[in-house]
Amino acid sequence: MSDTDSQTVFVRHQMLDPQLAPVTERGAVKWMRENLFSGTFNTILTLLGIGAVYYLVSASLPWLLNGVWNANSLSECRQIIADNGGTTGACWALIKARWHQFLFGFYPQDSYWRPVLAFGLLFVALAPVLYWNDRKGAIMVAVSGVLTVLAMIGLSSPGTVDLFTIVLMAALFALAWVMPKKLVLVTLVYPFVAFFLLWGGPIAGPISVLLGLAAAAWLVMALQPRIGSILATILAVVAVALLFLGPYPLTSLLSSALQTVTGWGLPAVNSDQFGGFLLAFVIGITSISFSLPIGVILALGRQSDMFLVKTLSVGFIEFIRGVPLITLLFTASLLLQYFLPPQTNFDLILRVIILATLFSAAYLAEVIRGGLAALPRGQYEASDALGLNYWQAQRLIIMPQALKISIPGIVSTFIGLFKDTTLVSFVGLLDPLRGVTTIVRADINWKGIYWEPYIFVGVIFFVICFGMSRYSMYLERKLKTDHR
Amino acid sequence: MKKSVLLGTFAAAALVSGMASAATLDDVKARGELICGSNTGLTGFGAPDANGEYQGFDAALCKALAAAIFGDASKVKFVPTTGETRFTALASGEVDLLVRNSTWTYSRDNDLKFDFVAVNYYDGQGFMVKKDLGVSSAKELDGATVCIQTGTTTELNLADFFKANNITYTPVTVADDSEAQRQYVAGACDAYTTDASGLAASRATLADAENHIILPEIISKEPLGPVVRHGDNQWGDIVRWVYFSLVIAEEKGITKANIEEVASTSTDPEVRRLLGLEGEMGAMMGLDNNWAKNAIAANGNYGEIFEANIGTATPIGLARGLNALWTQGGLQYAPPVR
């Protein structure tokens, strides 16, 4: 045998126990080596970053920790902070004293339940849109209902209203759970309900408008098979316009008839009492919901082969996009007054909503055009090959795909529009950021306060915009059908 | 200047096309409420309180006017206007009058086609500095950094003042009063300049007010007062005389508290004419004969309104100064009711 036999040869007969990786290759150390200190340059950046964070925290933490919630004026706040041995401190007492103006503006205090209920119902109305035919919608309704009732009790609204809200929300939840698709009826009625809740007045007004629109919709449905959709729509629009504006003001007759039957209504609230986040929501949500359909139509118009339609669409989009929003707001507030008959009381909020809608519709049109352009030519040809007409092709093949591609852009536009609502302070409306802050600071008790209202308003804006952005990501994942 | 030309064009266009209604009083009466263009929020002068009710020195004048017209001081709606929208809002008829710290100037009176019917507050631009700067006169501010709101007449006044005195400064432009105050406290500027009334309010709310002084120089004239449209003299007279009635009331010692007593006991013929006990004075303007009585009863006389909103008893603590009655060395002087 070979001489290896005579030597003692080490042969391992059993496996070694697994050992931990070296300390530099595991756990926190590894993570830091890889992510924070992977090279000289990155190490320097990390140290600088830590320094910056330390600086910010050390500068703001005492201010935040010394915050005072219970005081009647800024000087009282300062006194309390000094008594506690602090040098700087936030005076949140301002928020505590004036939060209702930041949220509701000058809306009558005993009617706060109305915007709250309208806001709660907004999520019920959104549920079928956001979660089509999905039990998640019912959960959303339930959460919104519970929060609404809690908010109402917190605002000490009348007991009958609380009870009514509980019953209403329970009924809506049951509807959403049993027949999620039927909830879309709530969505259709919602604008009228919200209008009635927010502005009040006799209930006959919104009902008669609703009836008018229902009549128009019915007319379109009835005429469509016989004369085609376009002609039917035009006829219905003309008929309803005649109903509203024509020599036979049927609507007003109808509404006065309704008024005699149901004299019931809510106390009217003027638009100039709206302010704060109530105003931001009214402008933002109305503009968002109206600008999407207008944007789709403009995008299609821009792609159209018809010269007039195309020219008008391009002209509108380019004009609106070429003009800053503030210019449009000044137009709404100042110029329109000159074109209207003297003493016309054309609501300023309505004027602003119209121009904000047009503004975001122009941007949406371009976003959606991007989605249309991203569709392969084959999709158009396939729908032609199936024998679909233009509207069928758009509805069944093109738009679902184009809108899906455009979701991030559409939601960005919405978020931008919602934040742009703060610009209305330039035309003297009480937006939460500048308008309400200005009037609160004009109180001698709170004059000299700077950051607190901005932080309060900023946090609320962040929550809302972050929510929209997360929803758009959820929607993208849900609608993802390709396997890229 | 460009802005005022532009606004002036709009205003002129409105007048030429006859859109500004001629009989404002009739419109107000038909509407059942007065629409008063107010500030979006100026401490002591006009700002909504926690309940959304407008309070302040300027707001009180609007309420007195509503009381004179309707006998009810609550029949007034305040429309907040910004520095940009105020004159167009007035020219287009959106508001019946402006009472919002607007300075009476030549170009606003003539170019914009407005009438400044009275001066309810004589203001002027001043400086606030930190005491430890060791400055006792604005003329010693050579080389100082000055916080100044952009787009206001104060910016132009400041440039004029420093040029006239042949000294230099570095402007730190800020957007509004709260930002100016913050920059000043943070030490971004040595001096803060704005109207003296605003300076007093700002100083009152500083954490260490005793370490700041307002320099004695007032470098501009800022006569602030109610503004109406050109061309409706009756309406202008009503606003003017409602204001004068408040001044006369102070002169004659008529207060909110004693007005009923004075009305029943006074033998002074002018007081009796003012309070509608003699003659048909109100009818000459198209109002009730107790117009002035209602106006005074709403918030008291001029002095009471001053003391309640911006006077020495309030945290703002403005002295009467130029706004004292003429009998006490001030400029507030009302023609006789006769």
PDB file of all heavy atoms in Angstrom, chain B residues 273-298:
ATOM      1  N   ARG B 273     -80.570 118.183  15.851  1.00  0.00           N
ATOM      2  CA  ARG B 273     -80.637 117.938  14.393  1.00  0.00           C
ATOM      3  C   ARG B 273     -79.970 116.616  14.047  1.00  0.00           C
ATOM      4  O   ARG B 273     -80.464 115.836  13.243  1.00  0.00           O
ATOM      5  CB  ARG B 273     -79.943 119.083  13.642  1.00  0.00           C
ATOM      6  CG  ARG B 273     -80.790 120.333  13.486  1.00  0.00           C
ATOM      7  CD  ARG B 273     -80.204 121.282  12.471  1.00  0.00           C
ATOM      8  NE  ARG B 273     -78.912 121.819  12.878  1.00  0.00           N
ATOM      9  CZ  ARG B 273     -78.750 122.908  13.618  1.00  0.00           C
ATOM     10  NH1 ARG B 273     -79.802 123.591  14.024  1.00  0.00           N
ATOM     11  NH2 ARG B 273     -77.547 123.329  13.952  1.00  0.00           N
ATOM     12  N   LEU B 274     -78.819 116.355  14.684  1.00  0.00           N
ATOM     13  CA  LEU B 274     -78.068 115.127  14.389  1.00  0.00           C
ATOM     14  C   LEU B 274     -78.898 113.897  14.743  1.00  0.00           C
ATOM     15  O   LEU B 274     -78.962 112.933  13.976  1.00  0.00           O
ATOM     16  CB  LEU B 274     -76.756 115.123  15.180  1.00  0.00           C
ATOM     17  CG  LEU B 274     -75.853 113.908  14.970  1.00  0.00           C
ATOM     18  CD1 LEU B 274     -75.204 113.968  13.593  1.00  0.00           C
ATOM     19  CD2 LEU B 274     -74.767 113.831  16.028  1.00  0.00           C
ATOM     20  N   LEU B 275     -79.550 113.955  15.896  1.00  0.00           N
ATOM     21  CA  LEU B 275     -80.274 112.765  16.347  1.00  0.00           C
ATOM     22  C   LEU B 275     -81.686 112.694  15.774  1.00  0.00           C
ATOM     23  O   LEU B 275     -82.473 111.824  16.164  1.00  0.00           O
ATOM     24  CB  LEU B 275     -80.328 112.734  17.870  1.00  0.00           C
ATOM     25  CG  LEU B 275     -78.955 112.632  18.548  1.00  0.00           C
ATOM     26  CD1 LEU B 275     -79.107 112.510  20.049  1.00  0.00           C
ATOM     27  CD2 LEU B 275     -78.163 111.452  18.008  1.00  0.00           C
ATOM     28  N   GLY B 276     -81.992 113.611  14.844  1.00  0.00           N
ATOM     29  CA  GLY B 276     -83.272 113.512  14.142  1.00  0.00           C
ATOM     30  C   GLY B 276     -84.435 114.037  14.933  1.00  0.00           C
ATOM     31  O   GLY B 276     -85.581 113.691  14.657  1.00  0.00           O
ATOM     32  N   LEU B 277     -84.163 114.847  15.958  1.00  0.00           N
ATOM     33  CA  LEU B 277     -85.260 115.370  16.763  1.00  0.00           C
ATOM     34  C   LEU B 277     -85.805 116.669  16.178  1.00  0.00           C
ATOM     35  O   LEU B 277     -86.928 117.055  16.457  1.00  0.00           O
ATOM     36  CB  LEU B 277     -84.791 115.608  18.206  1.00  0.00           C
ATOM     37  CG  LEU B 277     -84.189 114.369  18.875  1.00  0.00           C
ATOM     38  CD1 LEU B 277     -83.501 114.746  20.165  1.00  0.00           C
ATOM     39  CD2 LEU B 277     -85.278 113.335  19.118  1.00  0.00           C
ATOM     40  N   GLU B 278     -84.979 117.315  15.379  1.00  0.00           N
ATOM     41  CA  GLU B 278     -85.415 118.558  14.734  1.00  0.00           C
ATOM     42  C   GLU B 278     -85.080 118.476  13.248  1.00  0.00           C
ATOM     43  O   GLU B 278     -84.045 117.954  12.881  1.00  0.00           O
ATOM     44  CB  GLU B 278     -84.654 119.755  15.320  1.00  0.00           C
ATOM     45  CG  GLU B 278     -85.346 120.409  16.500  1.00  0.00           C
ATOM     46  CD  GLU B 278     -84.507 121.543  17.067  1.00  0.00           C
ATOM     47  OE1 GLU B 278     -83.710 122.131  16.294  1.00  0.00           O
ATOM     48  OE2 GLU B 278     -84.638 121.810  18.264  1.00  0.00           O
ATOM     49  N   GLY B 279     -85.936 119.038  12.453  1.00  0.00           N
ATOM     50  CA  GLY B 279     -85.649 119.127  11.024  1.00  0.00           C
ATOM     51  C   GLY B 279     -85.789 117.787  10.316  1.00  0.00           C
ATOM     52  O   GLY B 279     -86.137 116.761  10.918  1.00  0.00           O
ATOM     53  N   GLU B 280     -85.561 117.826   9.026  1.00  0.00           N
ATOM     54  CA  GLU B 280     -85.688 116.629   8.194  1.00  0.00           C
ATOM     55  C   GLU B 280     -84.319 116.326   7.593  1.00  0.00           C
ATOM     56  O   GLU B 280     -84.156 116.246   6.374  1.00  0.00           O
ATOM     57  CB  GLU B 280     -86.725 116.856   7.096  1.00  0.00           C
ATOM     58  CG  GLU B 280     -88.145 117.029   7.589  1.00  0.00           C
ATOM     59  CD  GLU B 280     -88.751 115.731   8.100  1.00  0.00           C
ATOM     60  OE1 GLU B 280     -88.512 114.701   7.441  1.00  0.00           O
ATOM     61  OE2 GLU B 280     -89.412 115.751   9.154  1.00  0.00           O
ATOM     62  N   MET B 281     -83.314 116.181   8.451  1.00  0.00           N
ATOM     63  CA  MET B 281     -81.951 116.030   7.950  1.00  0.00           C
ATOM     64  C   MET B 281     -81.753 114.710   7.209  1.00  0.00           C
ATOM     65  O   MET B 281     -81.109 114.657   6.172  1.00  0.00           O
ATOM     66  CB  MET B 281     -80.947 116.125   9.106  1.00  0.00           C
ATOM     67  CG  MET B 281     -81.084 117.367   9.950  1.00  0.00           C
ATOM     68  SD  MET B 281     -81.073 118.885   9.009  1.00  0.00           S
ATOM     69  CE  MET B 281     -79.356 119.262   8.967  1.00  0.00           C
ATOM     70  N   GLY B 282     -82.284 113.610   7.751  1.00  0.00           N
ATOM     71  CA  GLY B 282     -82.080 112.293   7.130  1.00  0.00           C
ATOM     72  C   GLY B 282     -82.683 112.226   5.749  1.00  0.00           C
ATOM     73  O   GLY B 282     -82.106 111.657   4.819  1.00  0.00           O
ATOM     74  N   ALA B 283     -83.851 112.856   5.612  1.00  0.00           N
ATOM     75  CA  ALA B 283     -84.555 112.776   4.332  1.00  0.00           C
ATOM     76  C   ALA B 283     -83.747 113.395   3.198  1.00  0.00           C
ATOM     77  O   ALA B 283     -83.866 112.988   2.042  1.00  0.00           O
ATOM     78  CB  ALA B 283     -85.903 113.476   4.462  1.00  0.00           C
ATOM     79  N   MET B 284     -82.904 114.389   3.547  1.00  0.00           N
ATOM     80  CA  MET B 284     -82.090 115.015   2.497  1.00  0.00           C
ATOM     81  C   MET B 284     -81.160 113.997   1.841  1.00  0.00           C
ATOM     82  O   MET B 284     -80.759 114.156   0.700  1.00  0.00           O
ATOM     83  CB  MET B 284     -81.239 116.129   3.104  1.00  0.00           C
ATOM     84  CG  MET B 284     -82.022 117.297   3.623  1.00  0.00           C
ATOM     85  SD  MET B 284     -80.864 118.498   4.311  1.00  0.00           S
ATOM     86  CE  MET B 284     -81.961 119.521   5.248  1.00  0.00           C
ATOM     87  N   MET B 285     -80.784 112.962   2.569  1.00  0.00           N
ATOM     88  CA  MET B 285     -79.877 111.930   2.010  1.00  0.00           C
ATOM     89  C   MET B 285     -80.649 110.704   1.549  1.00  0.00           C
ATOM     90  O   MET B 285     -80.063 109.764   1.014  1.00  0.00           O
ATOM     91  CB  MET B 285     -78.865 111.465   3.071  1.00  0.00           C
ATOM     92  CG  MET B 285     -77.834 112.497   3.446  1.00  0.00           C
ATOM     93  SD  MET B 285     -76.425 111.741   4.264  1.00  0.00           S
ATOM     94  CE  MET B 285     -77.176 111.010   5.694  1.00  0.00           C
ATOM     95  N   GLY B 286     -81.924 110.686   1.820  1.00  0.00           N
ATOM     96  CA  GLY B 286     -82.700 109.508   1.462  1.00  0.00           C
ATOM     97  C   GLY B 286     -82.712 108.466   2.557  1.00  0.00           C
ATOM     98  O   GLY B 286     -82.960 107.282   2.309  1.00  0.00           O
ATOM     99  N   LEU B 287     -82.463 108.916   3.793  1.00  0.00           N
ATOM    100  CA  LEU B 287     -82.467 107.981   4.917  1.00  0.00           C
ATOM    101  C   LEU B 287     -83.510 108.412   5.938  1.00  0.00           C
ATOM    102  O   LEU B 287     -84.112 109.474   5.822  1.00  0.00           O
ATOM    103  CB  LEU B 287     -81.094 107.953   5.600  1.00  0.00           C
ATOM    104  CG  LEU B 287     -79.911 107.467   4.776  1.00  0.00           C
ATOM    105  CD1 LEU B 287     -78.651 107.515   5.626  1.00  0.00           C
ATOM    106  CD2 LEU B 287     -80.140 106.071   4.258  1.00  0.00           C
ATOM    107  N   ASP B 288     -83.693 107.572   6.966  1.00  0.00           N
ATOM    108  CA  ASP B 288     -84.573 107.945   8.078  1.00  0.00           C
ATOM    109  C   ASP B 288     -83.970 109.116   8.822  1.00  0.00           C
ATOM    110  O   ASP B 288     -82.765 109.337   8.781  1.00  0.00           O
ATOM    111  CB  ASP B 288     -84.691 106.772   9.071  1.00  0.00           C
ATOM    112  CG  ASP B 288     -85.607 105.718   8.518  1.00  0.00           C
ATOM    113  OD1 ASP B 288     -86.306 106.012   7.539  1.00  0.00           O
ATOM    114  OD2 ASP B 288     -85.583 104.600   9.059  1.00  0.00           O
ATOM    115  N   ASN B 289     -84.804 109.828   9.566  1.00  0.00           N
ATOM    116  CA  ASN B 289     -84.286 110.963  10.311  1.00  0.00           C
ATOM    117  C   ASN B 289     -83.425 110.542  11.500  1.00  0.00           C
ATOM    118  O   ASN B 289     -82.624 111.312  11.991  1.00  0.00           O
ATOM    119  CB  ASN B 289     -85.424 111.855  10.780  1.00  0.00           C
ATOM    120  CG  ASN B 289     -85.829 112.811   9.671  1.00  0.00           C
ATOM    121  OD1 ASN B 289     -85.018 113.131   8.795  1.00  0.00           O
ATOM    122  ND2 ASN B 289     -87.084 113.238   9.692  1.00  0.00           N
ATOM    123  N   ASN B 290     -83.591 109.300  11.958  1.00  0.00           N
ATOM    124  CA  ASN B 290     -82.738 108.873  13.069  1.00  0.00           C
ATOM    125  C   ASN B 290     -81.534 108.048  12.579  1.00  0.00           C
ATOM    126  O   ASN B 290     -81.030 107.183  13.279  1.00  0.00           O
ATOM    127  CB  ASN B 290     -83.538 108.095  14.115  1.00  0.00           C
ATOM    128  CG  ASN B 290     -84.350 106.994  13.479  1.00  0.00           C
ATOM    129  OD1 ASN B 290     -84.260 106.802  12.262  1.00  0.00           O
ATOM    130  ND2 ASN B 290     -85.118 106.290  14.261  1.00  0.00           N
ATOM    131  N   TRP B 291     -81.105 108.359  11.362  1.00  0.00           N
ATOM    132  CA  TRP B 291     -79.959 107.641  10.793  1.00  0.00           C
ATOM    133  C   TRP B 291     -78.735 107.749  11.694  1.00  0.00           C
ATOM    134  O   TRP B 291     -78.077 106.746  11.997  1.00  0.00           O
ATOM    135  CB  TRP B 291     -79.633 108.194   9.397  1.00  0.00           C
ATOM    136  CG  TRP B 291     -79.264 109.661   9.387  1.00  0.00           C
ATOM    137  CD1 TRP B 291     -80.119 110.710   9.389  1.00  0.00           C
ATOM    138  CD2 TRP B 291     -77.955 110.221   9.414  1.00  0.00           C
ATOM    139  NE1 TRP B 291     -79.433 111.886   9.403  1.00  0.00           N
ATOM    140  CE2 TRP B 291     -78.100 111.629   9.415  1.00  0.00           C
ATOM    141  CE3 TRP B 291     -76.672 109.679   9.404  1.00  0.00           C
ATOM    142  CZ2 TRP B 291     -77.008 112.499   9.429  1.00  0.00           C
ATOM    143  CZ3 TRP B 291     -75.590 110.538   9.416  1.00  0.00           C
ATOM    144  CH2 TRP B 291     -75.754 111.931   9.446  1.00  0.00           C
ATOM    145  N   ALA B 292     -78.427 108.969  12.158  1.00  0.00           N
ATOM    146  CA  ALA B 292     -77.202 109.156  12.926  1.00  0.00           C
ATOM    147  C   ALA B 292     -77.339 108.507  14.297  1.00  0.00           C
ATOM    148  O   ALA B 292     -76.389 107.941  14.833  1.00  0.00           O
ATOM    149  CB  ALA B 292     -76.909 110.632  13.064  1.00  0.00           C
ATOM    150  N   LYS B 293     -78.537 108.557  14.838  1.00  0.00           N
ATOM    151  CA  LYS B 293     -78.759 107.939  16.146  1.00  0.00           C
ATOM    152  C   LYS B 293     -78.484 106.440  16.060  1.00  0.00           C
ATOM    153  O   LYS B 293     -77.797 105.857  16.909  1.00  0.00           O
ATOM    154  CB  LYS B 293     -80.211 108.200  16.564  1.00  0.00           C
ATOM    155  CG  LYS B 293     -80.492 107.838  18.000  1.00  0.00           C
ATOM    156  CD  LYS B 293     -81.924 108.215  18.346  1.00  0.00           C
ATOM    157  CE  LYS B 293     -82.328 107.532  19.635  1.00  0.00           C
ATOM    158  NZ  LYS B 293     -83.755 107.669  19.891  1.00  0.00           N
ATOM    159  N   ASN B 294     -79.021 105.825  15.001  1.00  0.00           N
ATOM    160  CA  ASN B 294     -78.780 104.396  14.830  1.00  0.00           C
ATOM    161  C   ASN B 294     -77.299 104.094  14.632  1.00  0.00           C
ATOM    162  O   ASN B 294     -76.769 103.119  15.163  1.00  0.00           O
ATOM    163  CB  ASN B 294     -79.557 103.870  13.616  1.00  0.00           C
ATOM    164  CG  ASN B 294     -81.039 103.878  13.868  1.00  0.00           C
ATOM    165  OD1 ASN B 294     -81.474 103.796  15.015  1.00  0.00           O
ATOM    166  ND2 ASN B 294     -81.822 103.995  12.798  1.00  0.00           N
ATOM    167  N   ALA B 295     -76.638 104.961  13.830  1.00  0.00           N
ATOM    168  CA  ALA B 295     -75.218 104.722  13.544  1.00  0.00           C
ATOM    169  C   ALA B 295     -74.404 104.807  14.824  1.00  0.00           C
ATOM    170  O   ALA B 295     -73.524 103.961  15.073  1.00  0.00           O
ATOM    171  CB  ALA B 295     -74.718 105.743  12.529  1.00  0.00           C
ATOM    172  N   ILE B 296     -74.701 105.801  15.662  1.00  0.00           N
ATOM    173  CA  ILE B 296     -73.928 105.958  16.896  1.00  0.00           C
ATOM    174  C   ILE B 296     -74.256 104.831  17.866  1.00  0.00           C
ATOM    175  O   ILE B 296     -73.377 104.296  18.541  1.00  0.00           O
ATOM    176  CB  ILE B 296     -74.235 107.336  17.530  1.00  0.00           C
ATOM    177  CG1 ILE B 296     -73.818 108.447  16.569  1.00  0.00           C
ATOM    178  CG2 ILE B 296     -73.507 107.501  18.851  1.00  0.00           C
ATOM    179  CD1 ILE B 296     -74.438 109.788  16.873  1.00  0.00           C
ATOM    180  N   ALA B 297     -75.535 104.444  17.917  1.00  0.00           N
ATOM    181  CA  ALA B 297     -75.929 103.394  18.858  1.00  0.00           C
ATOM    182  C   ALA B 297     -75.308 102.048  18.501  1.00  0.00           C
ATOM    183  O   ALA B 297     -75.193 101.160  19.355  1.00  0.00           O
ATOM    184  CB  ALA B 297     -77.444 103.276  18.893  1.00  0.00           C
ATOM    185  N   ALA B 298     -74.892 101.880  17.253  1.00  0.00           N
ATOM    186  CA  ALA B 298     -74.379 100.565  16.828  1.00  0.00           C
ATOM    187  C   ALA B 298     -73.084 100.217  17.563  1.00  0.00           C
ATOM    188  O   ALA B 298     -72.970  99.136  18.150  1.00  0.00           O
ATOM    189  CB  ALA B 298     -74.152 100.557  15.321  1.00  0.00           C
TER     190      ALA B 298
END
